[in-house]
Amino acid sequence: MTANNIDLAATAIAGAAADATRTVDTHASSTYAPPSTSATSSPPPYQPHPLGPLSAAEITQSSRLVKAAWPAGTDCHFKVITLLEPAKAELVPYLTAERIGQSPRDINRRAFVVYYIRNTHNLHEASVNLTKNTVESNAKLGPFIHANADGEEIIAVERAVLSHPDILAEIAKLKLPEGTEVVSDPWIYGSDGVKDGKFYDDKRLMQCYLYMRDPKNSSELDSCHYAFPLPISPVIDPTTMELVRIDILPTGLDEKVKPLAPWQPVEANEYIPEAQILRTDLKPLNVVQPEGVSFTVENFSELGRLIKWQKWDFKVGFNQREGMVLYDVHYDNKPLFYRLSLSDMSIPYADPRHPFHRKAAFDLGDAGAGIMANNLRLGCDCLGSIYYISSVLSGSDGLPINMPNVICVHEQDAGIGWKHTNYRTNRAVVVRNRELVLQSILTVSNYEYILSFIFNTAGDVMYEARATGILSTQPVDLELSKTPHPYGTVVHPGVLGSFHQHFFSLRIDPMIGGHGNSIVYDEALAIPRDPELNPHGTGYIVQKTEIETSGGFDLDSRKNRVFKIVNPAVRNNVNGAAVGYKVMVPPVQPILADVDSFHYKRAEFADRSIYVTRYAEDELYAGGKYTNQSRGGTGVRSWANRQESLKAGDAVLWVQFGINHIPRVEDFPVMPAETIRVMMRPVNFFDRNPAIDVAPSTQALNCSVGLNGSTKDVEGQLNGLSLGCQDGTPSKCCASHTGS
Amino acid sequence: MTANNIDLAATAIAGAAADATRTVDTHASSTYAPPSTSATSSPPPYQPHPLGPLSAAEITQSSRLVKAAWPAGTDCHFKVITLLEPAKAELVPYLTAERIGQSPRDINRRAFVVYYIRNTHNLHEASVNLTKNTVESNAKLGPFIHANADGEEIIAVERAVLSHPDILAEIAKLKLPEGTEVVSDPWIYGSDGVKDGKFYDDKRLMQCYLYMRDPKNSSELDSCHYAFPLPISPVIDPTTMELVRIDILPTGLDEKVKPLAPWQPVEANEYIPEAQILRTDLKPLNVVQPEGVSFTVENFSELGRLIKWQKWDFKVGFNQREGMVLYDVHYDNKPLFYRLSLSDMSIPYADPRHPFHRKAAFDLGDAGAGIMANNLRLGCDCLGSIYYISSVLSGSDGLPINMPNVICVHEQDAGIGWKHTNYRTNRAVVVRNRELVLQSILTVSNYEYILSFIFNTAGDVMYEARATGILSTQPVDLELSKTPHPYGTVVHPGVLGSFHQHFFSLRIDPMIGGHGNSIVYDEALAIPRDPELNPHGTGYIVQKTEIETSGGFDLDSRKNRVFKIVNPAVRNNVNGAAVGYKVMVPPVQPILADVDSFHYKRAEFADRSIYVTRYAEDELYAGGKYTNQSRGGTGVRSWANRQESLKAGDAVLWVQFGINHIPRVEDFPVMPAETIRVMMRPVNFFDRNPAIDVAPSTQALNCSVGLNGSTKDVEGQLNGLSLGCQDGTPSKCCASHTGS
C-alpha cells in the first residue's frame, strides 16, 4: 500500500443507520418508498469540511445506509456515491467565516447516491445525510432515465459479447486467421427515438464495436486493435447481458449493408514503442527545482487539498463525474471564483448511417471524468517537481476504490511574461511567466482527454483540454481506401476515422470581487464619419451590453465581442470601472445535427459558445444530470430558456469550446494532442500589472551570460555546462539559463 | 569584441566598382541616373550562398558602390542595405541541386539599397550586383514614397524637439516642477491626405509625443515616462530638423483642445524592479540539458545558419525589415516551405481626434524588425540551453552594424504530445511534445513584440507573436480619470491608453511536397434529412473548395472553414488525398477604420484573415515596399485584386491575425504578454502520426517514480531531490520527472 492510499480497514465503520424520517424526492416520474430499517451504528464524531470529497469511510457509510433501507439480501449496483455539495446559501457564509478566521457553523455532510437494484433496470437516486446518519431521500427514477456505465460492467459486456454463440457465428463468417483475438469496445448506446424490434427505449443498452488484434502478433495485448475494425456491432442489455440485436455495419460509401465476407489482410499500425524504430537524437530536457516548488498544499479535509501559490489560493476537490473541481478561488485574498469545473462533454459523430447515427458520447455523464482518471504514476505525465493528489471513489459494491495520483500539480515556465527595453538606456527588464498546472487525464476506451487548470503570475486562470488517444475507427472496404469518403478519413487501409465534433462545457460560478456578478459583453464599433469628431473615418468605440436575462449567446469576432464577468458593486481604484474578468474562448462550429435530432436535443450546450443562467441548486451539468440515453429537455439550454432575470441572483457562466475533428492520417494510430484553451483574464480588477512584482530573470540566480566566451557554472547543479558561449557547436557549447 | 562579432577591420574591402552598364529601375515615378564612377577594387573571389544575409563586407561593398555612383562628397543617408534575394526561377534549381548534393550553378549576389541624399528628401532605391561589383539599378523615388525611420534619426529628432525654443515655450506653460526631465517619443507621422499649413504630404515628417520622467526621481533614466504624458505634440521634418507645427492634444472626452494649464501632480508608476517590493516566494525553475541540445547549427554562409532538429532542416536568414526569415524548410527531406516570414504589421489607433487620428504604425516597414531587434543577452529571454544567432546590418553611413544575439534558439517541453492507456492492460504510453523555438524580440519605442517560429516533433510549425511593452499613452484630464472614456482606458490617473488594433501578416510561400501548391478550404456542412441516408438528422460532410483565383478570404467558424495548402500532384500513400498542411489562425476583427480612410487604404492586409496571391517577384511585404506615410494602392490587397489564375503559378498565402487591444489597467506600466499563435499542421501529408517514433517518457532516463516513498536520485545532476514521494510537504518532498 502506498503512502497516501487509504487504509480500508480503518474505514470499515460498523453499520449505518437509516433515518425513520426519510423523505422522498419529488422530481422523479415515479417514486419508491423502501421499508424502514434499524440503525446499527452512530454517526462519525467529527464534522469534516463541507467541500471535502467523500472519504472512504463516508462512501462505505453511504452505501450501508442505502442498503439498510432495503430488505436484507437486496443487491444494489452502485453507480455514483459522491459528495452532495451544500446549498450556496449555507456554504457562502461558511467559507466567508473560514476565511476571516472565525468558526464557521457546521454544515451537514451529504452524499449523492445513484444505484440500480442489481440486474434490474430499477434506478434510484438517494440523498444521504452523513452527519445525521440518515437517508434523506431515495427515489426510483425512470423509465427514461439511465445511469452511467461503469468499468466492471464494461468488462462484463465484452466477456458476454465474445462468448455469445450468435455473435461468434457472425464473426465466423469473416474467416479470420487462426488464433485471432477479437476485442469488443463498449459504446454508450445513445438515443434516436426509435422503438422497434428488440429495442426498448426505456431500457439501458450498450452498442459494441468489434475489432481484432494484429493476427500476426495475437499475443501482444497492447496491439492497436483500432487498425482492424470488424463490420459487426452487437447490441447488449448490460443489465441482463442479453443480446438485443446484431447490427452489420455499412462499409461502402452509402448506407447499404453487404453480406459479411472473408476478412482481407492488412498490415498492423502499432503505437507501442517496441514496434517503432525510435528516434535516438532527442536529448534529455530536465526541469530542476533545486529549492523545491513554490506552492504549498494543506489538507482541508481528508481528501480535499488547499493549494497556495503566488497569491492564489483555492480548494481542490475530486468527484466521480467532473473529476477535478476547484472551489473558493482567491487571488491576494480577493474573491474570484466560487466553483470551477468542466461540466460536460458531448461528441456527436457525422456518419448518418445506421448504427453510427447513434454515436454521441457524453464522457462525463455517461462514464465520469473522475472514475476514468488515469493513475498518473503510470507514465511520465508531468515534468519538474510534481505533487500528486489522490482520491477515493466508489465501486459498484458501494465500497471505496482508491484513485491514486489522479491530479498532478506542478509549475512550468511559460516563456516571457512581460518585457520592456528602454531604447534610450538599453536597459531591458524581462520577467518570465510562471504557471501552476493541475492536470488530470481521463481515458474513455479509445480516447484520452488531458484536462488542466493553469494559473499564472499575472492573475490569469486557464482551462486547457488536449484531445489525444485513438480514433474510434470503423471498417471501410479495402478497395475504397483511396477513394474520398463522405463521412470520414481513411487513416489506414480499410480503416475509417469518421468525422465528429467535440464539445466541452466549462462551468464558471463566479464571485469576482464577491458575489452578485453580472455578465456583460463588449463590442468594438466603428463610429460614423463626422467633420468635427471623426473627419478621417478612423474612430471606434467600445459598446458594453449587460446580459439581464438568462440565455444563450454567440461569439462574434467581427465585432470583437468579449464576454466579461463584472462586479458592479466593486470599482477599480484607478479608473472606477466595475472590476471584472474577461473570458477568452476560441470559436467552435455549433453542433451540425439538426434541431430535431436527438444529438442536438441531448447536447443542450453544443449550440452556443456562451450560456448564462441564474444560479440554481442542483444545476451543475450542462447536459443534465443523467446523460446516458438522455432525450433532452434537461440541461443548460432548458435552464437558460427560463429567461430569468439575472439581477435577482448570481449569474452562472457556461463556456463552450471544442473541435470539429476531421481526422488526418496523422491522427493514427494515436493522435498528436489537439489543444484548446479558455482564458480568464483580469480586466480592471487590479490597479496595475499584477505580475509587476515578479523578479526579473536577471535578478534571480546567475542568468545573464558572460559575453567573452568565458565559461562558468550556474550556481549549484549544472556541472559540465559552459555558460556564455555565443557561438560554436551548440551541443558542446551552450548557455544554460535560469528563470526567476 | 565578442567571439562572434564581425571583425570590421577584415571587412573593410578597399573600394567598389560601379558597372558601366547600369540599368535604371522603371517602376519609380521619377528616375535618376547618376554619373558613372570608376572601380577601385575587385569583387570578392568567392561566391557565397544566395540566401546568406549580407555580410559586413558586402554591406560595405554595397554602400561604396552606391556612393561611387555619385559625385565625390555626396553624402548618402542609408536606410536599408539588405540582401536582394534571387528570383525564384534561379533559386529553386540552386536549392534543389544543393539538396541532392550536386554543385549548384552560382547565382549573383545582390544588395537592395535604399538611401537619401543626406539632408534632402531625395529618396533612392538601388540594386547592387555584388558578384559583378556593379550598381545594376539606381532610381529616385517619390514624391509620395518615404523610407523608414532609423535610430540615429530618432535620437536626433528628440534632441531637436527638446531644444527648440517654440516647443520649450509651450512646455513652460505646463509649469512643470523644477528639474523635470521631458522626453520625446518619436512617432511615425502616418497619412491622412490633408495638405494644410506647413504640412507637405510629399515630405517625410515625424510627430512626437512628449512625456516627463517622475519629477520626484528625475535622475532615474529608466523611470516610466509613459505615466506622465504631456499634452504637446511637435511635428518635425526629420530631414531638416525643422519644426513644422506644434499640436496641442485634446485631453477631455471630445475633440476640443483647451489652453495649456499647469501640470497637476500624480504618482509615478514604475516597472523597474528596484521600485517594487518583489515577490520572494517564486523558487527557481531550471532547465537542464545534461547531454546538450538536440539540434545542430551549420553556417551555410558567413551569417546564414542551417538548423537541423528532429527531422526538420531549414535555413535561417535575417534582414533589416523582417528580422528572422526561414528558407527551404524540409521535414525528413520532404519539402514544405520555400520561405516563411512575418511580412508586415499595422497598428491603427481608435482615437479619431487630431492628431491621434494619424497614429498608425507599420513597425516592419516604418522601422524594421531586424534593425530594432533586441540583443538577447541583455535579459534572460530564453530558458535552457540556448544558441544565439548574431547578424550584421547597416548604419546610416552604409557601414556594418553588429547585431549580436538577435535570435535565440532553444528547445522546450510543451507538455504531453500524445498518450494512450489501454484500459484492458492498464499500460500507458505517453510521449512528450518537444518544441524548437527561434525567438526574436523587437522594441519599437514603447512597445515590444516577441516573435517566434516554433517547430515540434509532430510535424507542426507555429508562428507566435507576444505583444508586450508599454502602451503609447496620452494625457486625459485628471478629474476624468474615473469617467469612462470613449476612445481608451484610463490606466493611471491622468493617463489614457487608447484603443488600437494590431494586425500581423505572416507570409507563407509554400512548397508542400514540392512546388505547384494549391490553396483550398474545407467546410463542414450538415446534410439534409433523408429517409434512407440521414433519417435522424445527424449527418454531415466536408466540402472542399479550391481557390482558383487570387483574392481575399475570411474565416468562418460557423462552417469550420479551414484553409489548407495542398499539392495535387503528390498523393498520400494511405488514402490518396493530395498531401497538405492546414493553417490554423485565430480570428481577428477586421480593421475598423472605414474603407475610405488612410488607415484602411494603407493597411492592405488588415481587412481579411487570408489573402492568396500568385507568386510574383518583389512582392514580399503585405503593406507594400514603402509603408512610411504610404497612401495605399500597393500591397497584398492590390496584388490579390489582380484576380490572377492560381493554376498558372505558385500560390502565396498571407495569413493575418491580431488583437483589438482594449487596454486594461493591468496592461500598465508594462503589459503582460498577449499571445497569438498561427499553426501549420500536416493533413494527410505523412502516413501516420509523425511523432509515433518519439521515445515515451518512461523509456528515457529515470522517469517512472518509485511508489513506496523510496527516494532516489535521477541519474546525474539532481542531488538532494527525493523521488517518488506521493504526499507530504511538496517543497521538501516531490517527484522530479525527466522528459524524453
Side-chain angles (χ1 to χ4, degrees), chain A residues 269-270 310 380 434 448 594 664 666 670 682 685 688-689 703 738, chain B residues 269 279 283 286 380 421 448 529 664 666 670 682 685 688-689 703:
Chain A
N269 200 339
E270 305 293 10
Q310 291 300 301
C380 193
R434 183 75 66 88
E448 263 77 14
D594 72 31
R664 318 173 287 157
E666 288 84 353
V670 178
F685 183 83
R688 60 200 302 235
N689 178 350
C703 175
T738 300
Chain B
N269 200 340
R279 303 182 189 203
K283 305 280 176 66
N286 303 336
C380 193
T421 302
E448 263 76 15
R529 286 214 176 207
R664 319 172 287 156
E666 289 84 352
V670 178
F685 183 84
R688 59 200 304 235
N689 178 350
C703 173

mmCIF file of all heavy atoms in Angstrom, chain A residues 269-270 310 380 434 448 594 664 666 670 682 685 688-689 703 738, chain B residues 269 279 283 286 380 421 448 529 664 666 670 682 685 688-689 703:
data_model
loop_
_atom_site.group_PDB
_atom_site.id
_atom_site.type_symbol
_atom_site.label_atom_id
_atom_site.label_comp_id
_atom_site.label_asym_id
_atom_site.label_seq_id
_atom_site.Cartn_x
_atom_site.Cartn_y
_atom_site.Cartn_z
ATOM 1 N N ASN A 269 -0.778 -1.378 -37.356
ATOM 2 C CA ASN A 269 -0.336 0.007 -37.156
ATOM 3 C C ASN A 269 -0.250 0.235 -35.656
ATOM 4 O O ASN A 269 -1.206 0.654 -35.011
ATOM 5 C CB ASN A 269 -1.321 0.979 -37.815
ATOM 6 C CG ASN A 269 -0.700 2.351 -38.064
ATOM 7 O OD1 ASN A 269 0.290 2.711 -37.427
ATOM 8 N ND2 ASN A 269 -1.283 3.103 -38.980
ATOM 9 N N GLU A 270 0.892 -0.096 -35.101
ATOM 10 C CA GLU A 270 1.047 -0.125 -33.640
ATOM 11 C C GLU A 270 1.578 1.195 -33.095
ATOM 12 O O GLU A 270 2.326 1.893 -33.776
ATOM 13 C CB GLU A 270 2.019 -1.242 -33.236
ATOM 14 C CG GLU A 270 1.647 -2.627 -33.753
ATOM 15 C CD GLU A 270 0.373 -3.193 -33.145
ATOM 16 O OE1 GLU A 270 -0.353 -2.447 -32.455
ATOM 17 O OE2 GLU A 270 0.082 -4.373 -33.393
ATOM 18 N N GLN A 310 1.721 31.809 -5.254
ATOM 19 C CA GLN A 310 1.844 33.113 -5.905
ATOM 20 C C GLN A 310 0.574 33.950 -5.757
ATOM 21 O O GLN A 310 -0.008 34.405 -6.755
ATOM 22 C CB GLN A 310 2.202 32.917 -7.386
ATOM 23 C CG GLN A 310 3.611 32.382 -7.601
ATOM 24 C CD GLN A 310 4.652 33.326 -7.038
ATOM 25 O OE1 GLN A 310 4.714 34.472 -7.441
ATOM 26 N NE2 GLN A 310 5.419 32.866 -6.048
ATOM 27 N N CYS A 380 4.887 9.256 -17.657
ATOM 28 C CA CYS A 380 5.547 10.462 -17.200
ATOM 29 C C CYS A 380 4.724 11.633 -17.704
ATOM 30 O O CYS A 380 4.979 12.189 -18.762
ATOM 31 C CB CYS A 380 6.952 10.507 -17.733
ATOM 32 S SG CYS A 380 7.901 11.767 -16.908
ATOM 33 N N ARG A 434 5.479 32.342 -15.011
ATOM 34 C CA ARG A 434 5.444 31.028 -14.368
ATOM 35 C C ARG A 434 3.991 30.587 -14.279
ATOM 36 O O ARG A 434 3.105 31.403 -14.009
ATOM 37 C CB ARG A 434 6.040 31.116 -12.967
ATOM 38 C CG ARG A 434 6.138 29.795 -12.201
ATOM 39 C CD ARG A 434 7.254 28.900 -12.680
ATOM 40 N NE ARG A 434 8.573 29.448 -12.442
ATOM 41 C CZ ARG A 434 9.271 29.270 -11.317
ATOM 42 N NH1 ARG A 434 8.780 28.536 -10.337
ATOM 43 N NH2 ARG A 434 10.460 29.797 -11.167
ATOM 44 N N GLU A 448 -8.378 9.758 -25.078
ATOM 45 C CA GLU A 448 -7.832 10.413 -23.900
ATOM 46 C C GLU A 448 -8.126 11.908 -23.937
ATOM 47 O O GLU A 448 -8.016 12.548 -24.999
ATOM 48 C CB GLU A 448 -6.299 10.252 -23.864
ATOM 49 C CG GLU A 448 -5.808 9.119 -22.996
ATOM 50 C CD GLU A 448 -5.968 7.745 -23.615
ATOM 51 O OE1 GLU A 448 -6.215 7.664 -24.849
ATOM 52 O OE2 GLU A 448 -5.859 6.750 -22.891
ATOM 53 N N ASP A 594 -29.260 18.351 -36.773
ATOM 54 C CA ASP A 594 -30.344 19.337 -36.857
ATOM 55 C C ASP A 594 -31.127 19.450 -35.553
ATOM 56 O O ASP A 594 -31.019 18.598 -34.669
ATOM 57 C CB ASP A 594 -31.201 19.108 -38.097
ATOM 58 C CG ASP A 594 -32.096 17.877 -38.005
ATOM 59 O OD1 ASP A 594 -32.535 17.503 -36.904
ATOM 60 O OD2 ASP A 594 -32.383 17.292 -39.080
ATOM 61 N N ARG A 664 -7.090 13.293 -39.700
ATOM 62 C CA ARG A 664 -5.979 13.261 -40.646
ATOM 63 C C ARG A 664 -5.343 11.879 -40.537
ATOM 64 O O ARG A 664 -5.459 11.213 -39.493
ATOM 65 C CB ARG A 664 -4.904 14.272 -40.228
ATOM 66 C CG ARG A 664 -5.386 15.607 -39.756
ATOM 67 C CD ARG A 664 -4.215 16.444 -39.200
ATOM 68 N NE ARG A 664 -3.738 15.975 -37.904
ATOM 69 C CZ ARG A 664 -2.525 16.198 -37.409
ATOM 70 N NH1 ARG A 664 -1.635 16.870 -38.135
ATOM 71 N NH2 ARG A 664 -2.172 15.757 -36.221
ATOM 72 N N GLU A 666 -2.452 11.557 -39.992
ATOM 73 C CA GLU A 666 -1.509 11.795 -38.898
ATOM 74 C C GLU A 666 -2.131 11.548 -37.521
ATOM 75 O O GLU A 666 -1.414 11.507 -36.513
ATOM 76 C CB GLU A 666 -0.993 13.242 -38.957
ATOM 77 C CG GLU A 666 -0.036 13.534 -40.101
ATOM 78 C CD GLU A 666 -0.726 13.873 -41.414
ATOM 79 O OE1 GLU A 666 -1.979 13.751 -41.488
ATOM 80 O OE2 GLU A 666 -0.029 14.250 -42.366
ATOM 81 N N VAL A 670 -2.179 6.878 -32.831
ATOM 82 C CA VAL A 670 -2.588 7.727 -31.709
ATOM 83 C C VAL A 670 -2.446 9.157 -32.193
ATOM 84 O O VAL A 670 -1.474 9.489 -32.874
ATOM 85 C CB VAL A 670 -1.697 7.511 -30.459
ATOM 86 C CG1 VAL A 670 -2.129 8.441 -29.331
ATOM 87 C CG2 VAL A 670 -1.765 6.063 -29.988
ATOM 88 N N PRO A 682 -7.952 39.066 -15.866
ATOM 89 C CA PRO A 682 -8.474 40.245 -15.164
ATOM 90 C C PRO A 682 -8.608 41.439 -16.098
ATOM 91 O O PRO A 682 -7.755 41.691 -16.936
ATOM 92 C CB PRO A 682 -7.416 40.517 -14.081
ATOM 93 C CG PRO A 682 -6.172 39.810 -14.536
ATOM 94 C CD PRO A 682 -6.643 38.637 -15.342
ATOM 95 N N PHE A 685 -9.410 44.737 -12.800
ATOM 96 C CA PHE A 685 -9.607 44.124 -11.489
ATOM 97 C C PHE A 685 -8.509 44.574 -10.535
ATOM 98 O O PHE A 685 -8.761 44.932 -9.400
ATOM 99 C CB PHE A 685 -9.600 42.598 -11.623
ATOM 100 C CG PHE A 685 -9.874 41.879 -10.342
ATOM 101 C CD1 PHE A 685 -11.179 41.680 -9.922
ATOM 102 C CD2 PHE A 685 -8.831 41.431 -9.541
ATOM 103 C CE1 PHE A 685 -11.440 41.032 -8.715
ATOM 104 C CE2 PHE A 685 -9.084 40.787 -8.331
ATOM 105 C CZ PHE A 685 -10.399 40.584 -7.927
ATOM 106 N N ARG A 688 -2.836 47.613 -11.372
ATOM 107 C CA ARG A 688 -1.753 47.653 -12.354
ATOM 108 C C ARG A 688 -1.402 46.224 -12.717
ATOM 109 O O ARG A 688 -2.028 45.307 -12.207
ATOM 110 C CB ARG A 688 -0.533 48.416 -11.796
ATOM 111 C CG ARG A 688 0.051 47.795 -10.514
ATOM 112 C CD ARG A 688 0.906 48.793 -9.719
ATOM 113 N NE ARG A 688 1.989 49.290 -10.521
ATOM 114 C CZ ARG A 688 3.293 49.224 -10.164
ATOM 115 N NH1 ARG A 688 3.658 48.657 -9.027
ATOM 116 N NH2 ARG A 688 4.220 49.729 -10.935
ATOM 117 N N ASN A 689 -0.433 46.037 -13.574
ATOM 118 C CA ASN A 689 0.021 44.694 -13.944
ATOM 119 C C ASN A 689 0.306 43.884 -12.675
ATOM 120 O O ASN A 689 1.215 44.221 -11.915
ATOM 121 C CB ASN A 689 1.293 44.835 -14.798
ATOM 122 C CG ASN A 689 1.883 43.486 -15.204
ATOM 123 O OD1 ASN A 689 1.470 42.442 -14.703
ATOM 124 N ND2 ASN A 689 2.850 43.535 -16.107
ATOM 125 N N CYS A 703 21.936 34.493 -14.325
ATOM 126 C CA CYS A 703 21.178 34.398 -15.559
ATOM 127 C C CYS A 703 21.809 35.111 -16.730
ATOM 128 O O CYS A 703 21.788 34.628 -17.837
ATOM 129 C CB CYS A 703 19.792 34.959 -15.312
ATOM 130 S SG CYS A 703 18.829 35.035 -16.770
ATOM 131 N N THR A 738 18.616 30.351 -16.454
ATOM 132 C CA THR A 738 17.817 30.025 -15.289
ATOM 133 C C THR A 738 16.723 31.066 -15.156
ATOM 134 O O THR A 738 17.012 32.258 -15.188
ATOM 135 C CB THR A 738 18.721 30.062 -14.047
ATOM 136 O OG1 THR A 738 19.756 29.112 -14.238
ATOM 137 C CG2 THR A 738 17.954 29.738 -12.820
ATOM 138 N N ASN B 269 4.489 55.430 -11.776
ATOM 139 C CA ASN B 269 4.099 54.016 -11.935
ATOM 140 C C ASN B 269 5.257 53.319 -12.646
ATOM 141 O O ASN B 269 5.312 53.266 -13.863
ATOM 142 C CB ASN B 269 2.801 53.916 -12.736
ATOM 143 C CG ASN B 269 2.103 52.580 -12.536
ATOM 144 O OD1 ASN B 269 2.736 51.604 -12.123
ATOM 145 N ND2 ASN B 269 0.809 52.536 -12.828
ATOM 146 N N ARG B 279 8.289 39.808 -5.177
ATOM 147 C CA ARG B 279 7.913 38.526 -4.591
ATOM 148 C C ARG B 279 9.189 37.747 -4.243
ATOM 149 O O ARG B 279 10.164 37.798 -5.002
ATOM 150 C CB ARG B 279 7.139 37.673 -5.599
ATOM 151 C CG ARG B 279 5.906 38.339 -6.134
ATOM 152 C CD ARG B 279 5.180 37.390 -7.095
ATOM 153 N NE ARG B 279 4.106 38.134 -7.762
ATOM 154 C CZ ARG B 279 3.040 37.572 -8.304
ATOM 155 N NH1 ARG B 279 2.900 36.254 -8.307
ATOM 156 N NH2 ARG B 279 2.100 38.299 -8.868
ATOM 157 N N LYS B 283 10.277 30.066 -6.451
ATOM 158 C CA LYS B 283 11.537 29.314 -6.393
ATOM 159 C C LYS B 283 12.103 29.110 -7.795
ATOM 160 O O LYS B 283 11.342 29.031 -8.766
ATOM 161 C CB LYS B 283 11.270 27.944 -5.745
ATOM 162 C CG LYS B 283 10.600 28.004 -4.381
ATOM 163 C CD LYS B 283 11.578 28.315 -3.270
ATOM 164 C CE LYS B 283 10.867 28.456 -1.933
ATOM 165 N NZ LYS B 283 10.270 27.219 -1.448
ATOM 166 N N ASN B 286 14.879 25.526 -13.171
ATOM 167 C CA ASN B 286 15.979 25.465 -14.129
ATOM 168 C C ASN B 286 15.704 24.404 -15.182
ATOM 169 O O ASN B 286 15.167 23.336 -14.871
ATOM 170 C CB ASN B 286 17.286 25.099 -13.430
ATOM 171 C CG ASN B 286 17.616 26.071 -12.307
ATOM 172 O OD1 ASN B 286 17.153 27.217 -12.318
ATOM 173 N ND2 ASN B 286 18.399 25.626 -11.345
ATOM 174 N N CYS B 380 17.135 37.757 -19.688
ATOM 175 C CA CYS B 380 17.091 36.308 -19.740
ATOM 176 C C CYS B 380 15.866 35.936 -20.545
ATOM 177 O O CYS B 380 14.792 35.704 -20.017
ATOM 178 C CB CYS B 380 17.026 35.750 -18.334
ATOM 179 S SG CYS B 380 17.346 33.995 -18.328
ATOM 180 N N THR B 421 -3.814 5.032 -22.928
ATOM 181 C CA THR B 421 -3.796 3.968 -21.922
ATOM 182 C C THR B 421 -4.725 2.862 -22.405
ATOM 183 O O THR B 421 -5.880 3.122 -22.725
ATOM 184 C CB THR B 421 -4.301 4.492 -20.560
ATOM 185 O OG1 THR B 421 -3.484 5.583 -20.148
ATOM 186 C CG2 THR B 421 -4.242 3.394 -19.507
ATOM 187 N N GLU B 448 6.988 46.211 -27.293
ATOM 188 C CA GLU B 448 7.789 45.043 -27.609
ATOM 189 C C GLU B 448 6.949 43.977 -28.304
ATOM 190 O O GLU B 448 5.795 43.736 -27.921
ATOM 191 C CB GLU B 448 8.346 44.415 -26.314
ATOM 192 C CG GLU B 448 9.749 44.821 -25.967
ATOM 193 C CD GLU B 448 9.873 46.218 -25.383
ATOM 194 O OE1 GLU B 448 8.833 46.791 -24.969
ATOM 195 O OE2 GLU B 448 10.987 46.751 -25.333
ATOM 196 N N ARG B 529 -32.013 15.942 -44.113
ATOM 197 C CA ARG B 529 -32.631 14.666 -43.726
ATOM 198 C C ARG B 529 -33.010 13.878 -44.964
ATOM 199 O O ARG B 529 -33.421 14.450 -45.979
ATOM 200 C CB ARG B 529 -33.885 14.916 -42.884
ATOM 201 C CG ARG B 529 -33.546 15.361 -41.487
ATOM 202 C CD ARG B 529 -34.538 14.841 -40.475
ATOM 203 N NE ARG B 529 -34.090 15.240 -39.146
ATOM 204 C CZ ARG B 529 -34.403 14.553 -38.050
ATOM 205 N NH1 ARG B 529 -35.169 13.473 -38.113
ATOM 206 N NH2 ARG B 529 -33.961 14.950 -36.893
ATOM 207 N N ARG B 664 -6.430 47.333 -20.475
ATOM 208 C CA ARG B 664 -6.878 47.107 -19.102
ATOM 209 C C ARG B 664 -5.931 47.894 -18.185
ATOM 210 O O ARG B 664 -4.787 48.158 -18.560
ATOM 211 C CB ARG B 664 -6.739 45.634 -18.725
ATOM 212 C CG ARG B 664 -7.120 44.641 -19.780
ATOM 213 C CD ARG B 664 -6.741 43.208 -19.358
ATOM 214 N NE ARG B 664 -5.302 42.949 -19.422
ATOM 215 C CZ ARG B 664 -4.657 42.024 -18.722
ATOM 216 N NH1 ARG B 664 -5.328 41.258 -17.867
ATOM 217 N NH2 ARG B 664 -3.360 41.849 -18.838
ATOM 218 N N GLU B 666 -4.505 46.560 -15.974
ATOM 219 C CA GLU B 666 -3.451 45.564 -15.798
ATOM 220 C C GLU B 666 -2.380 45.633 -16.874
ATOM 221 O O GLU B 666 -1.326 44.994 -16.746
ATOM 222 C CB GLU B 666 -4.064 44.154 -15.784
ATOM 223 C CG GLU B 666 -4.872 43.810 -14.544
ATOM 224 C CD GLU B 666 -6.322 44.289 -14.601
ATOM 225 O OE1 GLU B 666 -6.680 45.031 -15.538
ATOM 226 O OE2 GLU B 666 -7.092 43.933 -13.696
ATOM 227 N N VAL B 670 3.762 47.955 -17.632
ATOM 228 C CA VAL B 670 4.155 47.113 -18.766
ATOM 229 C C VAL B 670 3.094 46.041 -18.877
ATOM 230 O O VAL B 670 2.643 45.503 -17.864
ATOM 231 C CB VAL B 670 5.543 46.456 -18.561
ATOM 232 C CG1 VAL B 670 5.891 45.558 -19.745
ATOM 233 C CG2 VAL B 670 6.623 47.505 -18.383
ATOM 234 N N PRO B 682 0.339 19.301 -40.512
ATOM 235 C CA PRO B 682 0.195 18.386 -41.645
ATOM 236 C C PRO B 682 -1.207 17.760 -41.704
ATOM 237 O O PRO B 682 -1.774 17.407 -40.669
ATOM 238 C CB PRO B 682 1.251 17.309 -41.373
ATOM 239 C CG PRO B 682 1.576 17.413 -39.915
ATOM 240 C CD PRO B 682 1.349 18.842 -39.541
ATOM 241 N N PHE B 685 -0.338 14.440 -44.941
ATOM 242 C CA PHE B 685 0.985 14.623 -45.533
ATOM 243 C C PHE B 685 1.859 13.415 -45.214
ATOM 244 O O PHE B 685 2.554 12.887 -46.067
ATOM 245 C CB PHE B 685 1.621 15.902 -44.976
ATOM 246 C CG PHE B 685 2.965 16.220 -45.578
ATOM 247 C CD1 PHE B 685 3.047 16.901 -46.785
ATOM 248 C CD2 PHE B 685 4.154 15.818 -44.959
ATOM 249 C CE1 PHE B 685 4.278 17.172 -47.367
ATOM 250 C CE2 PHE B 685 5.387 16.098 -45.534
ATOM 251 C CZ PHE B 685 5.451 16.770 -46.739
ATOM 252 N N ARG B 688 1.281 8.432 -41.098
ATOM 253 C CA ARG B 688 0.772 8.166 -39.753
ATOM 254 C C ARG B 688 1.269 9.278 -38.855
ATOM 255 O O ARG B 688 1.960 10.184 -39.311
ATOM 256 C CB ARG B 688 1.217 6.788 -39.252
ATOM 257 C CG ARG B 688 2.737 6.605 -39.193
ATOM 258 C CD ARG B 688 3.159 5.136 -39.163
ATOM 259 N NE ARG B 688 2.554 4.430 -38.068
ATOM 260 C CZ ARG B 688 3.222 3.730 -37.127
ATOM 261 N NH1 ARG B 688 4.552 3.646 -37.174
ATOM 262 N NH2 ARG B 688 2.600 3.094 -36.168
ATOM 263 N N ASN B 689 0.932 9.222 -37.584
ATOM 264 C CA ASN B 689 1.415 10.203 -36.620
ATOM 265 C C ASN B 689 2.933 10.322 -36.736
ATOM 266 O O ASN B 689 3.652 9.370 -36.435
ATOM 267 C CB ASN B 689 1.010 9.743 -35.212
ATOM 268 C CG ASN B 689 1.497 10.674 -34.112
ATOM 269 O OD1 ASN B 689 2.303 11.574 -34.356
ATOM 270 N ND2 ASN B 689 1.007 10.458 -32.912
ATOM 271 N N CYS B 703 12.344 7.889 -15.209
ATOM 272 C CA CYS B 703 11.172 8.742 -15.219
ATOM 273 C C CYS B 703 10.030 8.243 -14.365
ATOM 274 O O CYS B 703 9.367 9.013 -13.707
ATOM 275 C CB CYS B 703 10.718 8.897 -16.646
ATOM 276 S SG CYS B 703 9.197 9.753 -16.770
#
